Amino acid sequence: MWCVADLDADYIAKMEDVLALYERPYTMKEPVVCLDEKAVSLHAEVRPPRPARPGHLAKRDNEYRRCGTANLFAVVEPKAGRHFTCATPDRSAAQFARVVQRVVAAYPGARTIHLVVDNLTIHCEKSLTDAFGPFLGRRLWRRLTVHFTPKHGSWLNQAEIELSLVSRACLGRRRIPDLPHLRRETRAWNTRANRAKTCIRWQFTRRAARIKFGYQENVSKRSKT
């Protein structure tokens, strides 16, 4: 469920910026990539599940062992159906920097890479300069044109849809015991989704936003000045 905060000028400006980006025609020279994170609880079986056999369903014991948490970086280019989702030990600045490095390497011929992220503190140039040093960190950051969703506006980030897809189609209700297992599963998901070129068809436009939230186009233009 979406919970929209007060619709002030800053919220409108950032929302319209992201929605205008999604309305652009697809071009390989300026790919639009969305990134978001999610913690994943790791659980191990206490007793081996009983496999299905004729006349009997597979069974799994209700008891499980908690094995801590890991993190998923959901990264997707929605219009091209390119998926870079990966599992990491945590969502630290260093892990974010490595994910950005991977995204930049995937688009060597792009003029710029439009990156949609929320306002988490690690989503900044400093994360890259701390991880790779000033020269390489700045060089990687300058390959990006960063678009921040408004505060309480993470629903505008299509990477949240990617997280939902991975949760339903990849992880499901299975118990993932450790990070290596989670990494294997996410790599398999990326392979399947990239082979199928699974795209996200975003339908919410600036016009729809103006109708939904009851503001005029000239208000959004003034909020950017």
Side-chain angles (χ1 to χ4, degrees), residues 100 104 111-113 125 128 134-146:
V100 168
V104 169
R111 286 191 295 265
T112 187
I113 301 164
E125 182 180 0
L128 278 70
F135 178 77
L136 180 56
R138 287 177 189 142
R139 183 179 177 185
L140 290 169
W141 188 254
R142 286 168 185 167
R143 292 289 315 282
L144 309 173
T145 300
V146 182

Side-chain angles (χ1 to χ4, degrees), residues 62-81:
N62 286 332
E63 187 178 358
Y64 58 84
R65 185 175 73 256
R66 296 181 185 275
C67 301
T69 60
N71 177 73
L72 280 181
F73 278 101
V75 190
V76 60
E77 187 189 355
K79 287 186 177 179

Side-chain angles (χ1 to χ4, degrees), residues 101-136:
Q101 184 184 40
R102 181 183 171 197
V103 170
V104 169
Y107 299 96
R111 286 191 295 265
T112 187
I113 301 164
H114 295 278
L115 183 69
V116 179
V117 291
D118 61 23
N119 294 274
L120 193 64
T121 54
I122 65 170
H123 298 159
C124 63
E125 182 180 0
K126 186 176 183 299
S127 295
L128 278 70
T129 56
D130 286 350
F132 304 121
F135 178 77
L136 180 56

Side-chain angles (χ1 to χ4, degrees), residues 2 86 88 100 109 113 115 131 145 170 175 188 197 203 210 217:
W2 295 351
C86 60
T88 60
V100 168
I113 301 164
L115 183 69
T145 300
C170 175
R175 290 171 183 162
K197 294 189 176 180
Q203 309 256 344
R210 292 161 190 164
E217 181 179 0

